[in-house]
Amino acid sequence: MLVGISVITLSIRTLVGSYVLERTDRQLVQQRDLVFRNIDLLSQSSSGTSGLNSYFLQIQYTDGTVDDNGNAKTVIALLPRLKDDIVSMPSLPANGDTSGITLGEPFTTSAIVQRIVFPGTDEDESDGETDGTGSSNLLTSALGSVDRSTLNAARAPWRVLAMQWVENNQVRGIVYIGLSLSDQIDTMNTLTRYCVIVGIAVMLLGGSIATLVMQRTMAPLKRIEKTAAKIAAGDLSQRVPEAPENTEVGSLSASLNTMLTRIESSFREQEETTAKMKRFVSDASHELRTPLAAIHGYAELYTMQRDLPGALERADESISHIEKSSARMTVLVEDLLSLARLDEGRGIDVTGTVNLTSVVGDATDDLHALDPERGISLGTLRLDTTGASGEPGASGATPSAAPGARLVFTEDAPPQVMVPGDASRLRQVVTNIVGNIHRYTPADSPAEAGVGVIAAAIDPIQLSRLPSDDQSLRRFIEAAEVADSMPVGYRYAVIRFSDHGPGVPEESRAQIFERFYTADPSRARDKGGTGLGLAIAQSVVKAHRGFICATATPGGGLTFTVVLPIEQVPPSAAVTSAAAASVRPKRRRGAGQEM
């Protein structure tokens, strides 16, 4: 701002100075003849006046006219007088010398300052020289004590115009007409002072306004600083105060809040992961300690009783218990090893092709072999967008995310569904689910297994990141409903196992996929459960970019739904299907057939 004001002041001074000097030159050129012809009139008013109309006029005779001393005659016809009898005249060349000047063009010259007094007065300290005007009654005197402003005006330079004096076609001499630049300089100085004062005022005002604006602008940054200090102290719940996002501070605040949300989420996930790991290690240690303690105890019992009567029978019993504990520990270690490999992304090959229908069929046969009294139904699973499932054979309707959308099961022959993946791992998923039904439901309660292919407008990677809960299943059904009306997205294989046992409370359903979680630890231990089956199933499904969840079965029980990607809906097929849908009559689909 200081540099700008300085540049503006200098520019204004230069511009106005050039303009005033140009006006002075124009005045000298235009009024030279008028001044020369009216010397007598101007000489009467020149005394005590100054300014633009206060002319100086000197005539230097070059035609041989001499003064009383025999020198070339020089006459000062006009001599303005200032305050305190101060006179100022331009410094001019010697009589008749025009070298260095151009006739008719104004030039600037310095001033000669003198003080004139009348002879015989107290201030008469002159050396007897005349002032050059030819008047013997005016003598030069020392300046003495003179007003400073008057002295500054007298010392101002002169603007002088030289011209020839021609009379009767004869050059009589050189005439010098001058105007003092004191008023112009005073104007320039006044203008400079005004610019400086205004500049200082503008700087002060601008500085004050800038300070207020900066304080107001920096206030959000101060709040951000305070928030950052609280976050640095460990309070990750703090957020930067919001501001309009069309401003830099608002954009910064929004970005910081987004970053803080992600950091807090990551930190919480890390804490949850650490807590789960600690719980996992604790649970694993407990689960491993139980069979080890049993093996150790029965071994000691055998040692203590081997010399007693009937030791052989007791030894067989001890060995039997040791064998069972060893088998349980073997299963547990194998499951732990499987989870460790899955966590590291190893131990699974998703490049193969799996007949999912055959895997589900074999699982239902295994469940029938384990529980011969259980009624097991194998059928087709599909999406119903009408909201009505009143057909015979339709059962197990999943609550829809939107009115009319649900998954329904019908006892039709399931389609042959081929999915890319690891056959042994997917078979393990189905086996673990069936084993869960076998362990935790009555042996005579019915169960249903359904297989189907459903298109959904959701990416497999996005699907695999969904949590294993009811909300995620509803989101998948919503995406399937979108793909049903507009064939886009991916084709998914959906398998579902429903039982009608005691079920799991809603608040505990999210925990059944956690490691070592068992709904009934005593029964799980009796039947060989380790609490890792569903955790392994979830890891395998996610490794296939799929989704698994547990929901309540209508009427009581638990339903497991597994969704695995097959392929992306081809764009050409989508366009063809959309075109066909636009020309064919609409058909209302029920739970078991189309009408």
Side-chain angles (χ1 to χ4, degrees):
M1 186 180 291
L2 179 62
V3 174
I5 291 175
S6 300
V7 171
I8 292 174
T9 301
L10 292 176
S11 301
I12 293 176
R13 182 182 177 90
T14 302
L15 180 63
V16 174
S18 300
Y19 173 75
V20 171
L21 190 62
E22 183 182 354
R23 290 291 301 270
T24 302
D25 292 345
R26 188 182 302 117
Q27 182 178 349
L28 286 173
V29 173
Q30 292 177 353
Q31 296 185 4
R32 60 185 179 179
D33 295 334
L34 180 62
V35 171
F36 185 68
R37 288 195 298 267
N38 295 277
I39 292 176
D40 294 337
L41 180 61
L42 292 174
S43 61
Q44 296 175 4
S45 60
S46 63
S47 178
T49 62
S50 62
L52 295 177
N53 293 325
S54 183
Y55 290 93
F56 168 85
L57 191 144
Q58 183 186 79
I59 302 174
Q60 295 181 359
Y61 288 88
T62 59
D63 58 353
T65 304
V66 297
D67 56 12
D68 296 340
N69 296 324
N71 298 324
K73 187 177 182 180
T74 297
V75 178
I76 299 178
L78 297 175
L79 181 62
R81 190 173 67 184
L82 303 178
K83 184 180 179 182
D84 296 331
D85 295 329
I86 298 298
V87 295
S88 173
M89 63 182 67
S91 177
L92 299 175
N95 196 315
D97 185 11
T98 59
S99 60
I101 64 174
T102 303
L103 298 177
E105 292 185 5
F107 62 92
T108 302
T109 183
S110 60
I112 299 175
V113 182
Q114 293 179 338
R115 186 176 186 182
I116 59 174
V117 296
F118 293 95
T121 63
D122 294 339
E123 298 181 0
D124 185 3
E125 300 175 358
S126 67
D127 54 7
E129 296 180 359
T130 64
D131 59 4
T133 62
S135 301
S136 60
N137 61 335
L138 296 179
L139 301 176
T140 61
S141 171
L143 295 178
S145 178
V146 181
D147 182 73
R148 185 177 183 83
S149 61
T150 302
L151 189 59
N152 289 336
R155 289 175 177 173
W158 285 78
R159 195 69 173 169
V160 180
L161 176 67
M163 64 180 183
Q164 284 185 335
W165 174 26
V166 180
E167 187 177 32
N168 297 325
N169 295 325
Q170 181 182 357
V171 177
R172 296 291 307 278
I174 303 298
V175 178
Y176 291 93
I177 302 175
L179 282 173
S180 176
L181 296 178
S182 61
D183 287 348
Q184 289 87 332
I185 292 175
D186 183 65
T187 301
M188 294 300 301
N189 292 335
T190 303
L191 181 62
T192 301
R193 287 193 298 270
Y194 174 78
C195 290
V196 170
I197 293 173
V198 171
I200 294 175
V202 169
M203 287 184 61
L204 294 176
L205 181 61
S208 301
I209 295 176
T211 301
L212 294 176
V213 172
M214 288 298 295
Q215 288 178 349
R216 185 172 181 180
T217 304
M218 295 296 290
L221 297 180
K222 290 290 185 181
R223 292 195 293 268
I224 292 175
E225 180 184 2
K226 293 180 180 179
T227 304
K230 294 179 181 178
I231 294 172
D235 187 2
L236 295 179
S237 63
Q238 292 291 327
R239 292 294 179 269
V240 176
E242 295 183 356
E245 293 191 5
N246 57 348
T247 62
E248 289 81 1
V249 175
S251 178
L252 175 63
S253 299
S255 300
L256 287 177
N257 285 335
T258 302
M259 180 187 68
L260 291 173
T261 300
R262 292 182 178 178
I263 291 175
E264 184 181 13
S265 177
S266 299
F267 187 76
R268 288 180 177 176
E269 289 178 359
Q270 183 179 4
E271 287 184 335
E272 292 175 359
T273 301
T274 303
K276 287 181 179 180
M277 183 59 65
K278 291 179 179 179
R279 187 167 60 250
F280 171 72
V281 172
S282 175
D283 293 340
S285 301
H286 175 74
E287 292 293 335
L288 287 172
R289 184 175 58 185
T290 301
L292 286 174
I295 292 173
H296 181 70
Y298 282 108
E300 286 186 349
L301 181 62
Y302 168 74
T303 302
M304 293 171 57
Q305 297 180 350
R306 64 182 175 180
D307 295 331
L308 298 177
L312 183 60
E313 291 78 5
R314 288 190 293 272
D316 291 340
E317 183 180 356
S318 297
I319 294 299
S320 176
H321 284 291
I322 291 174
E323 183 181 4
K324 290 180 181 179
S325 298
S326 175
R328 173 174 169 76
M329 189 170 61
T330 301
V331 173
L332 180 62
V333 171
E334 289 179 353
D335 288 345
L336 289 174
L337 182 60
S338 297
L339 282 173
R341 289 177 176 177
L342 290 172
D343 290 342
E344 294 176 358
R346 299 186 297 112
I348 188 168
D349 180 15
V350 295
T351 59
T353 303
V354 183
N355 188 334
L356 201 60
T357 305
S358 176
V359 172
V360 174
D362 293 343
T364 56
D365 292 340
D366 294 342
L367 181 60
H368 182 71
L370 293 172
D371 299 324
E373 298 178 0
R374 187 188 303 272
I376 304 173
S377 301
L378 178 62
T380 302
L381 193 68
R382 62 180 179 80
L383 180 72
D384 178 25
T385 59
T386 63
S389 56
E391 299 178 10
S395 63
T398 301
S400 62
R406 63 181 67 196
L407 294 177
V408 294
F409 169 82
T410 57
E411 295 182 1
D412 299 331
Q416 295 297 313
V417 180
M418 307 296 292
V419 297
D422 189 321
S424 61
R425 289 297 184 180
L426 291 179
R427 188 176 294 275
Q428 185 179 14
V429 171
V430 175
T431 300
N432 287 345
I433 295 175
V434 169
N436 194 74
I437 296 175
H438 166 66
R439 293 187 188 96
Y440 300 110
T441 62
D444 57 351
S445 64
E448 297 87 25
V451 183
V453 177
I454 297 174
I458 187 172
D459 186 82
I461 296 178
Q462 184 180 5
L463 179 67
S464 64
R465 293 175 179 172
L466 296 177
S468 300
D469 54 21
D470 296 13
Q471 296 293 334
S472 300
L473 179 60
R474 281 194 284 268
R475 184 172 177 181
F476 172 75
I477 294 175
E478 286 180 347
E481 188 177 17
V482 172
D484 184 73
S485 59
M486 184 185 301
V488 292
Y490 286 78
R491 295 174 64 243
Y492 290 93
V494 182
I495 57 177
R496 193 177 72 178
F497 291 89
S498 300
D499 64 59
H500 298 276
V504 176
E506 183 178 359
E507 60 274 9
S508 301
R509 271 184 225 137
Q511 302 177 7
I512 64 176
F513 294 101
E514 294 181 4
R515 299 172 184 186
F516 292 110
Y517 175 84
T518 54
D520 188 351
S522 60
R523 289 195 63 196
R525 189 170 291 114
D526 291 341
K527 294 196 174 184
T530 62
L532 297 176
L534 293 181
I536 293 175
Q538 185 186 49
S539 298
V540 172
V541 170
K542 287 186 177 295
H544 285 78
R545 298 188 304 168
F547 166 76
I548 183 173
C549 72
T551 57
T553 304
L558 193 64
T559 296
F560 288 95
T561 304
V562 179
V563 181
L564 297 170
I566 300 177
E567 62 182 356
Q568 186 175 7
V569 176
S572 58
V575 173
T576 303
S577 299
S582 64
V583 298
R584 70 188 179 197
K586 294 183 179 179
R587 291 177 291 181
R588 184 176 180 272
R589 295 191 296 173
Q593 63 182 1
E594 292 185 350
M595 294 185 294

